[in-house]
Amino acid sequence: MTSAEAFARVRRREHRVLALLALAAAATVVAFCVIALRGNWEYALAIRARKVAAMVVVGSAVAVSSVLFQTVTNNRVLTPGIMGFDSLFVLIQTLVVYFFGALALSSADPRLLFAGQVVAMVVFAGALYRWLFDRRSRDLYVLVLVGVVCGTLFSSLSSLASRLINPNDFVVLQDTLFANFNSVDRDLLAVSAVLVAVVSLWVVRLFPRLDVLALGREHALNLGVDHRSVVNQVLVAVAVLVSVATALVGPITFLGLLVANVARQLAGASRHRVVVPASALLAVVALVGGQLVLERVFALDTALSVIINFVGGIYFIALLIREAKR
Amino acid sequence: MSRSTGRRREVRGRHLALAVLLLVPAALASLFVGAGELSPLDLLRADSGAALLLLESRLPRLLAILLAGTAMSVAGLVMMHITRNRFVSPSTAGTTESAVLGVFVATVFLGAESVMVKMVVALLFALLGTLFFLWVLRKLTFADVVVVPLVGIMLGGVITAVTTFFAYRADLLQSLSAWTNGDFSSVLRGRYELLWLTAAVTVGCYFYANRFTVAGVGRDFAVNLGVHYDRVVNLGLLLVSATTAAVVVTVGNIPFLGLVVPNLVTLVLGDNLRRVLPVTALAGAAFVLACDVVGRVVRHPHEIPVETVAGVVGSVVFLLLVLRVRRVAG
């Protein structure tokens, strides 16, 4: 087999995987909307459609941010969630209430407020993780451990701040922090969808450089890629995407890890043009499908993130054992 | 576990004296800080209300803090030796999370009213969870010093997910948060006595300390010295699990206690368990005491649970430790 034929075969496999995943995602979405649809059709459909939209936005944000994060850290056991990104966002949100009061939170334009929070997140996360990556780019496990503990620190600080807030403000805060797919704010959803779309389009142009970056920092530098600039851009994109996902439905730590790795295995390739859309589609299948099973089969509705954390955690340990054997 | 011998110093009486000196004022502060007014003068005036407050609430609370702080930091120290890893403690090996699952199982499936039943089930689960963790560790051929606790933390996350799922179904999420968040505010006379068990365990650890130290050097070495390695390790796990279970059942989980305190103490005093153990015990008690007093003062007359304060302080110290260890080890 010539290399051209092999190349064509890989391409065909990539296309087939993407097409199948798109089909699966579409099928779960349709199934979610129509199964057991009773009563006022239009009303029920509208509610379900909004829920699905939220899951698609969150799924894409989590999947894209995880794949990008894994590429710049050059490791497949990392996701922004494990590194404490989402607890950082919760901390920022809590601090906003602490310093400005819940009135500011509820009376301000939610879109403006959200924009402010995202900016704060980008600045803090960018500074913190930039510092971490610069210090110990070789020592990955220290990075992970530090990230995990940072997550604990951020959530302890949030819970400290939330206890210093007056009780009325605290109720408002809790409402915004423990939102789930059932109660997603419509304005926020629209803003989030636009943000995710814009960021995704913005990172698409980075894909070729990211493919080179995946070879490792030294190779990337030798091949003429401006490592620092790409990493900075990716960190900003990741911060925005994580903010969106966390603001909409709260932390889902292990989803990104799961979909990014399964997507890589399915696609049998590491080109970002394939892996990124594949993991986004997988995330949609996992979220919508999982929610479908939970709601229609077990008649539960908010425990999805728990199940994803369970499956994802086991997968993570298995991954560590396998990585360690190499 | 290796540490430069230059750092190792003898533990002399002055270390212990220093620890006690730190502990006594903190203990006194703890007795006279709280929502209800209580000053030493009240006691001198033989105020019966003050005496009641002291005997029913403040004194039991102080004892619970001292017992839990002592026991968990010693348990962390023993675990460090058994696993030969500085970053392994009940909270980074799934032990605490398993104990919580045990309490939950006892409550739901056995309808346990008695604290003893909860305690025994929690102990069994803590033991099983820790054994599972050790089994996973043996599967890791490349058990880097930082990979090991990472696996433990993830395992704890998985176990917590299981507990949360069932707690959600059984409508017990609120009770669950009481077991996972360490808090001394509900300690009264008659509700902490189980913790005296941990005092016995701590004394047991002291008498077994030399064997744990030998086991900590490695299996082959221990066997050569005529130590029953497996028996020592299993006994250690049993003691650690019993401590964790008792503390979780009585006051809930206090994050980083078993991790940060033993690390700080061994960093200064070296690795010989028998020498380090008394200082670790005192330092653990002082750490919890300080966190608890801070939690009571910051938002007086309301309380911030010790779990939150210890989480903030503990994670900052832990981060400094990890970064420092890496710099030293290169």
Side-chain angles (χ1 to χ4, degrees), chain B residues 76-91:
Chain B
L77 187 65
V78 170
M79 206 132 172
M80 252 168 79
H81 279 260
I82 293 175
T83 58
R84 308 175 64 197
N85 186 308
R86 250 163 291 161
F87 297 125
V88 174
S89 73
S91 58

Side-chain angles (χ1 to χ4, degrees), chain A residues 38-268:
Chain A
R38 273 180 246 103
N40 186 341
W41 274 43
E42 263 175 58
Y43 178 70
L45 259 185
I47 287 185
R48 287 185 183 188
R50 198 200 295 179
K51 237 174 168 174
V52 166
M55 287 188 264
V56 171
V57 170
V58 168
S60 320
V62 169
V64 175
S65 60
S66 299
V67 175
L68 297 188
F69 197 73
Q70 293 188 346
T71 302
V72 296
T73 56
N74 212 347
N75 189 280
R76 289 173 57 174
V77 298
L78 288 191
T79 69
I82 293 173
M83 297 295 294
F85 259 72
D86 40 17
S87 22
L88 179 58
F89 182 80
V90 172
L91 177 62
I92 291 174
Q93 191 131 4
T94 312
L95 289 180
V96 168
V97 176
Y98 178 68
F99 286 117
F100 303 107
L103 200 64
L105 198 67
S106 49
S107 64
D109 185 340
R111 283 161 292 190
L112 193 71
L113 197 73
F114 185 63
Q117 285 169 345
V118 170
V119 170
M121 172 82 175
V122 169
V123 172
F124 278 118
L128 177 64
Y129 293 97
R130 178 81 246 176
W131 175 72
L132 276 179
F133 296 152
D134 271 358
R135 278 171 63 92
R136 30 202 90 247
S137 47
R138 279 145 215 276
D139 208 342
L140 221 102
Y141 287 110
V142 175
L143 186 70
V144 184
L145 199 60
V146 169
V148 171
V149 178
C150 279
T152 317
L153 176 62
F154 297 147
S155 45
S156 289
L157 280 174
S158 318
S159 101
L160 186 68
S162 70
R163 279 172 195 275
L164 299 175
I165 295 169
N166 82 52
N168 295 332
D169 287 2
F170 182 65
V171 173
V172 179
L173 178 70
Q174 235 180 355
D175 271 355
T176 60
L177 287 185
F178 295 97
N180 55 39
F181 287 111
N182 298 322
S183 55
V184 168
D185 180 80
R186 192 188 299 178
D187 285 342
L188 208 54
L189 179 58
V191 178
S192 308
V194 172
L195 265 179
V196 172
V198 168
V199 171
S200 303
L201 286 177
W202 183 54
V203 292
V204 165
R205 76 197 165 80
L206 290 176
F207 281 178
R209 269 174 281 176
L210 283 170
D211 290 340
V212 180
L213 221 63
L215 300 173
R217 184 165 179 272
E218 307 300 321
H219 286 290
L221 285 176
N222 284 339
L223 290 168
V225 171
D226 185 351
H227 186 269
R228 200 184 172 85
S229 134
V230 177
V231 171
N232 280 337
Q233 292 182 52
V234 165
L235 280 180
V236 170
V238 168
V240 174
L241 292 172
V242 173
S243 310
V244 169
T246 315
L248 277 183
V249 296
I252 315 178
T253 312
F254 291 113
L255 177 68
L257 185 79
L258 207 58
V259 294
N261 282 291
V262 176
R264 285 213 169 91
Q265 261 167 14
L266 281 182

Side-chain angles (χ1 to χ4, degrees), chain A residues 139 145 149 159 163 302 306, chain B residues 146 154 161 168 299 308 318 326:
Chain A
D139 208 342
L145 199 60
V149 178
S159 101
R163 279 172 195 275
T302 54
V306 171
Chain B
V146 191
M154 292 303 149
Y168 180 79
R299 192 164 157 62
T308 306
F318 184 73
R326 276 294 147 150

